[in-house]
Amino acid sequence: MTKHLPVLAKEVVDWLKADRSGVFLDGTLGGGGHTRAILEANSDNIVVACDRDPKALGFKLEVEKRLTVITSNYSEVFSFIPHTKFNGVLLDLGLSTDQLYSGRGFSFMDQSSLDMRMDGDGNRKTAQEIVNTASPSELRQILKRGGVGKELNPVMTAILKDRPFDSAEALAASIKKRFPKPTKSHPATVVFQALRIAVNDEFTHLNSFLDNVVDFVAPSARLAIISFHSLEDEVVTKRFRKWEGEKPPANYPGAKGKEGIGKLLTKKAVTPKEDETKRNPASRSARMRVFEFYES
Ligand SMILES: C[S@@+](CC[C@H](N)C(=O)[O-])C[C@H]1O[C@@H](n2cnc3c(N)ncnc32)[C@H](O)[C@@H]1O
């Protein structure tokens, strides 16, 4: 049984126009909340859903005839379904509640792990290997790339002085020690985010998905991406803007612009309403962007 509550579920159904029958891709199946909502929005809807975490797929849906589940990274899923054109595509980035409490080192409370691999891929370095063995300059780069800002120096001092770590709890406690004054969120929050991004190579896969998805959309298809921090949102909006094309520069007569392939529908991100953030505080930082591809 999943404990994950899907964020912006109604908005996803509305923006993907899932009430009209179509073929949908859910690239981040997780606990299946969005897939379920899409399948329920129209009894003819068909969903292909994937997740890189094989443990995410252990739930059952009554409507299995209309659902195909694939254990795959979303950046590679199209190789399994090379002839399918989707009317709607969804990515709900990040971590599910089930993963957070799975004892794999994603939570500050994990006393026995500092792994953070979503797919358990044995070729991938764990967070423990990274914090314990990376050179100071490598570590600095990983933390900066993952969003650690003004806290970088005290965090670096904590890690370099206190390593090796054998659990997420030990790492979180070492960082907390360096921030004695009360802070709005746990001072290790962004550090954990940065490590998770590095361990799972999250930006590489997101960019590769965005490179590929354009070949697998039907005319007028919509792509919705929910992100949970500004770094992800930046990657998504930058790509959606690029896809909108460029107008020819006004001061160069005869110069050509670049033709776009569709339109960014949400210049202002779609965010959860107050009743949702009350019901599900984890939804607070969610922002959804939606792109509509042209008819041809
Ligand atoms: C926020 S949860 C999705 C929750 C889901 N929408 C629901 O309603 O239950 C994110 C999921 O995306 C998966 N994920 C993250 N990066 C992925 C990737 N590159 N490829 C496939 N799945 C990925 C995670 O394993 C996790 O299960």
Side-chain angles (χ1 to χ4, degrees), residues 4 6 26-34 50-53 56 72-75 92-96 99 118 205 228:
H4 188 86
D26 180 351
T28 50
L29 175 65
H34 287 119
C50 77
D51 201 295
R52 71 192 291 179
D53 182 352
S72 163
N73 200 301
Y74 54 61
S75 61
D92 173 20
L93 300 173
L95 205 63
S96 74
Q99 288 170 319
M118 288 184 189
H205 292 298
F228 289 84

Side-chain angles (χ1 to χ4, degrees), residues 86-147:
F86 293 97
N87 304 101
V89 178
L90 170 70
L91 291 187
D92 173 20
L93 300 173
L95 205 63
S96 74
T97 311
D98 303 319
Q99 288 170 319
L100 183 62
Y101 299 113
S102 63
R104 284 186 272 165
F106 293 115
S107 153
F108 304 146
M109 288 175 299
D110 277 348
Q111 295 176 347
S112 57
S113 171
L114 183 51
D115 187 314
M116 294 200 192
R117 287 170 304 175
M118 288 184 189
D119 48 15
D121 179 351
N123 296 320
R124 198 180 286 287
K125 272 192 187 163
T126 64
Q128 185 167 0
E129 283 166 356
I130 292 176
V131 283
N132 289 345
T133 63
S135 70
S137 67
E138 276 168 349
L139 198 56
R140 187 172 277 277
Q141 207 180 21
I142 285 171
L143 295 174
K144 262 169 91 171
R145 241 192 247 145

Side-chain angles (χ1 to χ4, degrees), residues 23-99:
V23 182
F24 296 84
L25 173 67
D26 180 351
T28 50
L29 175 65
H34 287 119
T35 282
R36 184 186 293 272
I38 293 169
L39 286 167
E40 285 174 1
N42 186 302
S43 57
D44 289 326
N45 281 348
I46 289 173
V47 176
V48 175
C50 77
D51 201 295
R52 71 192 291 179
D53 182 352
K55 295 202 178 90
L57 316 178
F59 75 101
K60 286 254 173 258
L61 285 179
E62 314 74 59
V63 275
E64 276 164 359
K65 269 191 274 163
R66 296 190 280 125
L67 170 65
T68 304
V69 170
I70 302 170
T71 302
S72 163
N73 200 301
Y74 54 61
S75 61
E76 286 155 15
V77 69
F78 300 111
S79 63
F80 295 91
I81 35 165
H83 306 298
T84 311
K85 298 277 182 193
F86 293 97
N87 304 101
V89 178
L90 170 70
L91 291 187
D92 173 20
L93 300 173
L95 205 63
S96 74
T97 311
D98 303 319
Q99 288 170 319

